[in-house]
Amino acid sequence: MVPHLITALTGPINELEQRMLDAMPAIERWFRLEWMEHTPPFYTSAHLRNAGFKLAPVNTNLFPRGWNFLSEDMLPLAVQAAIAAIEKICPEARNLLIIPENHTRNLSYLANLVQLQRIFQRAGLNVRVGSIDPGVKKATRIELPNGDTVVLEPVMRTGGRLGLKHFDPCTILLNNELATGTPGILEDLYGQYLLPPLHAGATVRCKSKHFRCYEEVGKRFGKMLGIDPWLIHPISAPCEDVDFVQGAGMERLQTEVDALLTKVRRKYKEYGIHEKPFVILKADQGAYSMGAMPVHDAKELEALNRKARSKMAVTKDGMPVQAVLIQEGVPTQERVHESAAEPVVYTMDRYVIGGVYRVHPERGTNENLNAPGASFVPLAFTHGTQMPQPGVRPGTSAPNRFYMYGVVARLAMLAASYELEATDPNAEVYD
């Protein structure tokens, strides 16, 4: 299924699409040169928003789930990407251990694990799923509604190596965001590759750092392409020492929100955009904020009720919020089944594999669609007639639009590469 795209047939987004199609050889060369200097994250999912006047990532996940929602058409490319990624890291790899989220019996998430297993098995690896959840004390087989099965086994630590009974992997793939911190069982491994690295974990990583890196990437790419970087970049700023429950730091947060809204209004005026700008407040650290909050006016923060404050006060697994990312709100103009939708693009190594539309029938264009009630519609990036079609009028070809999505997703992936290099605790520092 290819969702119907309803973005306007004129305006910056279609000019941007045309510019990228015309510059495809230069863009691909630019990425090739970047990957000669930087190591891509092992896998990512980039959450994009298409406003009709700009296209920007609003979140980059380094422990992506939802692989089960991707089209079967993407499997061959995913397998090829997996082979390329493993060959670079551990060419002699035979065994791969996937470590999932703790405390999960969510059938959709378990189906995600099955799909990851399938990809790496087809890449020529023995793949098993090992849980670091203390509650998993023996091998547990779980039947899924579609007939698939997943077996969760307790992870064992022997000296400096991690594995399962009679299973010694050279590569360990985390599909666990480490939302409550870094468990000691994963530290100081000997002779094993842990992907992604521990400093990508949710309690270590800062969204503000990622988007500073993305801003740098966007400026360089924008200069190469000859465009305003704002067309692919959400303006953002951090605000530290905020306590939503006690009210500490709220005045400073209002000031920062007002300053960022002023910047966005200037860009709206420059491009003749008549919509009312807004920002999204989200936890700077943590897997995700339990209540990512849209704010259209800084004064709204004075009137937050207790329920709204409580939602903003914690992230996944109840971790307290101490710093906030203020991010330019990017409304979505995409629709699937008449519902608000946003593309989520999956990558592995340096390759775009495919993506899904996250669809939410009860959420508006300015709201967070990553919420209970969301569904997913798969789309393929490289199957048959899905290849880009140069010469087709901008805004009328889904494959061309998807190519643009893939470019912006790779920019987010490159920003994540910059980010991980800058935050690597083992990196050498030169004066």
Side-chain angles (χ1 to χ4, degrees):
M1 174 184 177
V2 177
H4 178 55
L5 303 172
I6 65 164
T7 47
L9 297 180
T10 59
I13 199 67
N14 291 288
E15 294 173 13
L16 178 62
E17 179 183 312
Q18 188 65 58
R19 188 71 65 93
M20 288 189 182
L21 290 169
D22 292 343
M24 191 183 299
I27 289 172
E28 298 306 321
R29 179 178 183 274
W30 188 86
F31 276 118
R32 285 197 303 273
L33 294 176
E34 286 293 324
W35 297 132
M36 290 176 66
E37 300 292 332
H38 305 281
T39 301
F42 188 81
Y43 58 0
T44 67
S45 62
H47 303 231
L48 312 182
R49 301 278 284 204
N50 179 356
F53 53 83
K54 72 182 295 179
L55 172 70
V58 294
N59 185 48
T60 306
N61 191 345
L62 299 185
F63 303 87
R65 58 186 68 192
W67 293 87
N68 52 308
F69 296 120
L70 295 173
S71 166
E72 287 294 315
D73 294 334
M74 71 90 205
L75 275 177
L77 183 56
V79 170
Q80 290 178 336
I83 291 172
I86 292 295
E87 282 182 348
K88 287 197 303 186
I89 296 162
C90 183
E92 69 278 11
R94 178 180 301 167
N95 297 332
L96 181 137
L97 179 66
I98 298 175
I99 295 183
E101 293 285 349
N102 292 355
H103 315 298
T104 182
R105 287 297 184 270
N106 180 287
L107 295 179
S108 177
Y109 177 72
L110 294 174
N112 153 78
L113 296 178
V114 171
Q115 185 76 310
L116 277 175
Q117 272 191 289
R118 184 176 292 123
I119 290 169
F120 288 101
Q121 284 169 344
R122 294 182 183 181
L125 297 168
N126 301 312
V127 186
R128 287 162 70 174
V129 180
S131 177
I132 59 174
D133 184 347
V136 178
K137 301 184 182 300
K138 63 179 181 179
T140 305
R141 179 180 296 271
I142 303 172
E143 301 285 341
L144 302 183
N146 64 357
D148 288 332
T149 62
V150 60
V151 179
L152 301 180
E153 301 180 70
V155 163
M156 303 168 57
R157 174 102 182 210
T158 304
R161 293 183 72 84
L162 215 59
L164 307 175
K165 188 176 181 179
H166 307 308
F167 188 78
D168 183 31
C170 79
T171 305
I172 299 166
L173 179 63
L174 287 175
N175 198 240
N176 182 323
E177 294 174 302
L178 308 179
T180 59
T182 303
I185 194 173
L186 298 179
E187 296 180 325
D188 302 319
L189 298 179
Y190 175 75
Q192 290 178 309
Y193 297 91
L194 184 66
L195 306 166
L198 292 178
H199 63 281
T203 58
V204 179
R205 188 179 180 225
C206 293
K207 298 180 182 72
S208 57
K209 176 66 176 178
H210 173 74
F211 281 100
R212 281 197 298 271
C213 292
Y214 184 84
E215 182 177 13
E216 177 186 347
V217 168
K219 286 179 178 178
R220 295 181 59 247
F221 182 80
K223 182 177 181 180
M224 184 274 294
L225 200 61
I227 62 168
D228 181 351
W230 178 75
L231 296 174
I232 54 172
H233 169 244
I235 304 172
S236 61
C239 186
E240 299 180 348
D241 300 320
V242 176
D243 187 327
F244 283 92
V245 174
Q246 301 298 326
M250 294 301 290
E251 289 187 8
R252 186 173 65 260
L253 178 60
Q254 282 185 260
T255 300
E256 295 288 346
V257 166
D258 191 57
L260 199 140
L261 281 169
T262 298
K263 292 179 181 178
V264 179
R265 289 189 194 101
R266 291 195 190 109
K267 298 304 294 188
Y268 276 29
K269 183 176 181 181
E270 177 183 345
Y271 283 93
I273 299 164
H274 301 296
E275 298 183 30
K276 186 175 183 179
F278 66 102
V279 299
I280 296 289
L281 302 185
K282 58 181 76 171
D284 196 17
Q285 286 183 302
Y288 59 87
S289 177
M290 298 298 286
M293 178 189 297
V295 177
H296 294 80
D297 190 308
K299 293 181 180 178
E300 295 173 19
L301 296 174
E302 297 176 359
L304 290 182
N305 58 33
R306 179 173 295 184
K307 182 178 179 181
R309 289 177 182 271
S310 297
K311 284 185 176 182
M312 287 299 301
V314 295
T315 64
K316 183 179 179 181
D317 290 336
M319 300 298 287
V321 172
Q322 298 175 327
V324 171
L325 177 71
I326 309 165
Q327 187 176 71
E328 174 190 352
V330 183
T332 179
Q333 294 301 314
E334 302 286 24
R335 293 287 186 278
V336 175
H337 306 314
E338 304 301 321
S339 298
E342 63 185 11
V344 182
V345 179
Y346 287 73
T347 67
M348 188 176 294
D349 194 60
R350 58 193 178 100
Y351 304 102
V352 173
I353 290 171
V356 298
Y357 270 100
R358 178 185 283 115
V359 184
H360 205 302
E362 299 175 3
R363 292 291 177 108
T365 60
N366 291 358
E367 295 182 281
N368 176 26
L369 304 186
N370 186 13
S375 59
F376 300 89
V377 175
L379 56 95
F381 276 64
T382 58
H383 180 254
T385 58
Q386 297 293 316
M387 294 295 289
Q389 300 167 318
V392 174
R393 186 177 60 172
T396 61
S397 167
N400 288 355
R401 184 59 48 89
F402 295 159
Y403 174 74
M404 180 171 62
Y405 289 167
V407 169
V408 175
R410 283 184 286 169
L411 294 175
M413 177 172 55
L414 181 58
S417 175
Y418 284 26
E419 172 197 355
L420 291 177
E421 290 169 4
T423 57
D424 184 353
N426 299 316
E428 295 184 18
V429 178
Y430 299 94
D431 294 329

